[in-house]
Amino acid sequence: MTKLSVNINKVATLRNARGGNNPDVVQVALDCEKFGAQGITVHPRPDERHIRYQDVYDLKAVLRTEFNIEGNPVDKFNDLVLKVRPTQVTLVPDAPDQITSNTGWDTKKNLSFLTEIIGEFKEKGIRTSVFVNAEAEMVEYAAKAGADRVELYTEPYASAYAGSPEDAVRPFVEAARTARGLGLGLNAGHDLSLENLKYMHEQIGWIDEVSIGHALICDALYLGLEETVKRYLECLK
């Protein structure tokens, strides 16, 4: 079964735009769980422009489903993850000033670094996923670094989907098969939506987890959060 992990960064962005605690990030996360989501994802950045480090501690104290923390493994981030001990940490190579993640790791070039940091997290019992482009070599070197899973960066799929779903998904199927052959778990995320999620899931039925935030929160403005979560879950049946 493919799990839905709701990324609540955009909820925090809305809260921070006005100050105070409306919307309440923790309550939204709990509601997502209540509506059927099997996980919650956050991506704290060094400037805390959306999810704050305190949010991470607050969420850890109350969440009942899987908790996934994404981010660039700089010292501040690593310390947070090692203290909180989420279900999963997803390593993402984004610069501090990036609006959003826009590429996966060069796992071959960064093999030594990734091996060291993955080892630290796994010592604490934290499942470790590495954010990669849909390229067999990048998947292979993530396995060599000791990762438990890879997360396929799916923006290229989402961008090409309208032109040709078959062509758009092809490299992702190949990368997913490589991951399965190496015994790696498989996650996917970035720009997945109600438009393109079902097709990807039909082609790659062994995805363990999709992490979806921006599109899901945008859909919730029109459909409501409960109905939106249910529709995303329906795509994963």
Side-chain angles (χ1 to χ4, degrees):
M1 181 188 76
T2 301
K3 294 181 178 180
L4 171 65
S5 185
V6 177
N7 185 318
I8 57 171
N9 276 24
K10 288 297 186 295
V11 178
T13 300
L14 182 59
R15 175 200 62 189
N16 296 352
R18 187 67 180 265
N21 194 39
N22 188 24
D24 185 328
V25 168
V26 172
Q27 187 59 54
V28 170
L30 292 174
D31 287 338
C32 287
E33 289 187 324
K34 181 173 67 175
F35 299 149
Q38 297 102 343
I40 299 296
T41 291
V42 294
H43 189 142
R45 287 184 163 86
D47 61 5
E48 299 186 280
R49 62 180 181 268
H50 32 65
I51 287 292
R52 299 167 181 156
Y53 276 51
Q54 186 58 49
D55 293 329
V56 178
Y57 291 108
D58 294 343
L59 287 162
K60 172 61 176 179
V62 298
L63 291 180
R64 298 179 295 273
T65 61
E66 292 197 352
F67 191 21
N68 173 45
I69 304 178
E70 299 180 343
N72 192 346
V74 297
D75 289 345
K76 183 179 179 182
F77 176 85
N78 298 345
D79 289 343
L80 174 71
V81 173
L82 291 170
K83 288 176 182 176
V84 172
R85 296 196 186 186
T87 315
Q88 176 176 267
V89 59
T90 301
L91 308 182
V92 183
D94 56 351
D97 58 348
Q98 280 183 231
I99 294 175
T100 187
S101 308
N102 62 5
T103 191
W105 285 95
D106 183 334
T107 52
K108 183 176 182 179
K109 179 179 178 181
N110 293 282
L111 178 61
S112 178
F113 170 73
L114 289 171
T115 299
E116 180 178 353
I117 190 61
I118 288 170
E120 290 182 24
F121 290 137
K122 291 178 72 172
E123 274 186 17
K124 300 298 183 180
I126 304 167
R127 187 174 71 225
T128 304
S129 179
V130 177
F131 195 63
V132 296
N133 296 336
E135 302 171 14
E137 186 177 42
M138 296 300 101
V139 174
E140 290 165 0
Y141 275 86
K144 290 180 181 180
D148 299 298
R149 295 185 181 183
V150 289
E151 178 173 331
L152 299 181
Y153 169 54
T154 50
E155 189 278 334
Y157 163 75
S159 295
Y161 177 83
S164 171
E166 296 85 357
D167 291 341
V169 83
R170 188 172 295 114
F172 292 86
V173 173
E174 293 173 1
R177 287 174 176 162
T178 299
R180 184 169 61 176
L182 292 167
L184 289 173
L186 183 67
N187 298 339
H190 209 91
D191 286 351
L192 294 175
S193 68
L194 290 175
E195 177 185 7
N196 59 46
L197 177 60
K198 183 177 177 62
Y199 182 76
M200 171 164 276
H201 186 251
E202 288 172 346
Q203 304 306 307
I204 313 173
W206 61 95
I207 297 174
D208 292 297
E209 171 191 290
V210 292
S211 174
I212 304 177
H214 184 76
L216 190 151
I217 299 303
C218 289
D219 289 332
L221 294 174
Y222 291 92
L223 302 172
L225 185 60
E226 181 173 7
E227 177 64 21
T228 299
V229 171
K230 288 180 178 178
R231 291 196 188 189
Y232 276 87
L233 289 169
E234 189 68 27
C235 291
L236 299 173
K237 287 186 177 179

